[in-house]
Amino acid sequence: MDNIIKLINKAEVTHELTKNELVTLLKDNDHNEEIFKAADRVREKYVYDEVHLRGLIEFSNICKRNCMYCGLRRDNKNIKRYRLEPDEIISLAKGAKSYGYQTVVLQSGEDDYYTVDKIKYIVSEIKKLDMAITLSIGEKTFEEYEEYKKSGADRYLIRIETTDKELYEKLDPQMSHENRKKCLYDLRKLGYEVGSGCLVGLPNQTMESLADDILFFKKIDADMIGVGPFIPNKDTPLGEEEGGEFFLSIKVTALIRLLLPDINIPATTAMESLYPNGRSIALTSGANVVMPNVTEGEARKLYALYPGKICVNDTPGHCRTCISLKINKINRKVSEAKGFRNKTYKKETIN
Ligand code: 5AD
Ligand code: SF4
Ligand code: FES
């Protein structure tokens, strides 16, 4: 049998690959369909046909960081900034609930306006709606994460972006890779469901480094992993660089499903911003989550991480219908549960 097919079979059966094996699969381009299909089978076996929807609230585009790839970076003067008040955020969560979402993801730049007390107020009010809450608000201290958790936050997303320390510190000036990792460990210690992820196609990123990213997610036993292609934004220092490739980001997603069979993996907005029906392709290549935007009004357009972002001119209601249709079209169902990770794979290995 072809060596590559053997590796795909090994991954599908054992959920283990070495770094060299991952690099071989990442560099090969003749068997991508086989990798996507294997990931789709593993998705079906471990997390079934249900797609979990998370209503995404992008509540502030103000950020004190300066990541070289991101449109929200503080040095970008070419963007109108906004921040929503706690009660406006709560009201968007109520809207999300009315559309049937069981989870909201509260995402923002790193904006110190939202003190611990404000976040606790927002989280505890949304908890009263009987929704799961995911926070995605950046690097905080252990004590801050602890306070959010106590007020009812269930999950936390913080992408490592790249596990290549040198590349990371070049792309995220003044940020420490060690601290970012510490955040992930702190969140785990506090009992959050932990989400991370990476960008695909960053300047000077190698296949070896993407293989390290995938193995890192396995090592930390992440509960959720979101991957997206890097999309150059002309208002940033990386505006003239080449962007990431859509199918490489799908392949990284598929490989993550093969190695972490029971986790939640979103079909990301960046994928569809780069390629028509990108989320449907991701959902049939290992992904099982979609995060439709439930932000309303001007804020929706202003959370401009990268150009070409889908849904900026649509309403939350329109996206809700649109995503259901897309999910039905690929013969899957919208889940009515909160969609926590069910550690079936771990159980199998322990028993
Ligand atoms: N292209 C794609 N994704 C980006 N992000 C930030 N800037 C870009 C870009 N130019 C992603 C980062 C961050 C998430 C909120 O958005 O990975 O974690
Ligand atoms: Fe801020 Fe996040 Fe953008 Fe970095 S990626 S500039 S931390 S919003
Ligand atoms: Fe927003 Fe389709 S999900 S328009």
Side-chain angles (χ1 to χ4, degrees):
M1 207 192 323
D2 180 332
N3 182 40
I4 300 283
I5 297 290
K6 270 192 202 149
L7 287 183
I8 299 170
N9 288 345
K10 177 188 170 191
E12 184 172 351
V13 174
T14 68
H15 310 303
E16 302 283 342
L17 287 175
T18 64
K19 178 170 175 182
N20 279 339
E21 290 170 339
L22 278 168
V23 171
T24 304
L25 290 178
L26 285 164
K27 287 188 175 166
D28 173 87
N29 260 325
D30 298 331
H31 303 76
N32 288 351
E33 272 308 315
E34 282 92 335
I35 297 177
F36 303 162
K37 283 191 184 129
D40 195 43
R41 288 191 294 271
V42 171
R43 184 271 311 155
E44 189 177 20
K45 178 171 171 202
Y46 285 89
V47 296
Y48 319 119
D49 281 341
E50 293 190 330
V51 176
H52 299 288
L53 299 183
R54 325 290 199 194
L56 176 65
I57 301 175
E58 295 164 332
F59 65 87
S60 164
N61 70 354
I62 297 174
C63 189
K64 65 180 180 188
R65 308 275 185 197
N66 223 4
C67 306
M68 305 287 267
Y69 42 78
C70 177
L72 308 193
R73 67 199 304 273
R74 67 165 186 270
D75 283 354
N76 182 11
K77 305 285 179 251
N78 225 345
I79 180 172
K80 185 173 164 194
R81 305 284 175 169
Y82 74 91
R83 59 164 66 107
L84 303 183
E85 288 304 324
D87 287 327
E88 294 178 285
I89 300 168
I90 295 159
S91 140
L92 289 175
K94 288 183 180 153
K97 180 81 187 181
S98 77
Y99 290 115
Y101 296 112
Q102 302 294 328
T103 296
V104 275
V105 180
L106 306 181
Q107 188 171 81
S108 69
E110 290 201 15
D111 182 354
D112 290 335
Y113 174 76
Y114 301 91
T115 56
V116 170
D117 282 346
K118 284 201 177 81
I119 297 290
K120 283 173 71 174
Y121 169 70
I122 297 163
V123 169
S124 54
E125 286 301 309
I126 297 177
K127 264 336 254 190
K128 293 181 188 162
L129 306 172
D130 184 30
M131 298 181 95
I133 299 177
T134 307
L135 293 176
S136 177
I137 58 177
E139 294 184 28
K140 308 283 173 182
T141 63
F142 182 89
E143 290 72 25
E144 287 170 312
Y145 288 148
E146 190 173 30
E147 288 300 309
Y148 308 153
K149 187 83 186 54
K150 278 199 272 186
S151 65
D154 302 280
R155 312 181 179 123
Y156 205 102
L157 303 179
I158 182 159
R159 285 187 176 175
I160 193 74
E161 313 292 2
T162 167
T163 49
D164 183 332
K165 183 170 155 63
E166 203 182 314
L167 181 61
Y168 178 85
E169 290 180 353
K170 224 184 269 163
L171 293 178
D172 293 357
Q174 295 116 41
M175 280 176 92
S176 138
H177 201 247
E178 288 311 308
N179 193 59
R180 205 149 181 96
K181 280 199 263 185
K182 177 182 181 292
C183 289
L184 286 165
Y185 292 118
D186 285 350
L187 292 162
R188 163 75 358 112
K189 237 182 277 169
L190 287 162
Y192 281 92
E193 276 205 339
V194 178
S196 194
C198 61
L199 286 165
V200 171
L202 289 165
N204 300 317
Q205 189 181 36
T206 59
M207 296 301 171
E208 284 74 11
S209 143
L210 285 171
D212 283 334
D213 294 351
I214 298 168
L215 291 173
F216 173 75
F217 302 143
K218 191 160 171 75
K219 187 178 108 193
I220 64 169
D221 189 27
D223 301 300
M224 307 168 280
I225 291 296
V227 168
F230 157 60
I231 303 175
N233 181 332
K234 64 174 173 31
D235 294 330
T236 68
L238 302 185
E240 299 303 317
E241 298 288 337
E242 219 172 283
E245 279 172 34
F246 170 74
F247 281 105
L248 182 57
S249 70
I250 294 288
K251 194 152 140 187
V252 172
T253 301
L255 291 169
I256 291 167
R257 171 62 70 200
L258 290 170
L259 297 201
L260 291 125
D262 60 11
I263 68 166
N264 284 319
I265 301 180
T268 58
T269 304
M271 286 174 171
E272 191 146 332
S273 301
L274 200 58
Y275 201 88
N277 268 322
R279 288 173 301 178
S280 301
I281 297 170
L283 286 171
T284 51
S285 310
N288 69 321
V289 170
V290 181
M291 297 163 60
N293 195 332
V294 296
T295 321
E296 288 180 42
E298 201 191 10
R300 224 175 143 91
K301 291 183 193 53
L302 297 177
Y303 203 83
L305 302 163
Y306 48 78
K309 196 169 162 225
I310 51 162
C311 305
V312 289
N313 293 313
D314 299 297
T315 61
H318 176 83
C319 288
R320 180 66 184 81
T321 313
C322 166
I323 206 67
S324 281
L325 288 171
K326 283 179 188 278
I327 290 167
N328 293 339
K329 212 167 168 186
I330 54 167
N331 291 319
R332 304 267 281 280
K333 314 186 255 290
V334 173
S335 163
E336 285 172 13
K338 292 203 174 66
F340 286 95
R341 177 185 183 190
N342 198 354
K343 288 198 179 190
T344 45
Y345 169 56
K346 277 266 147 182
K347 242 185 265 156
E348 258 178 35
T349 51
I350 292 163
N351 286 341

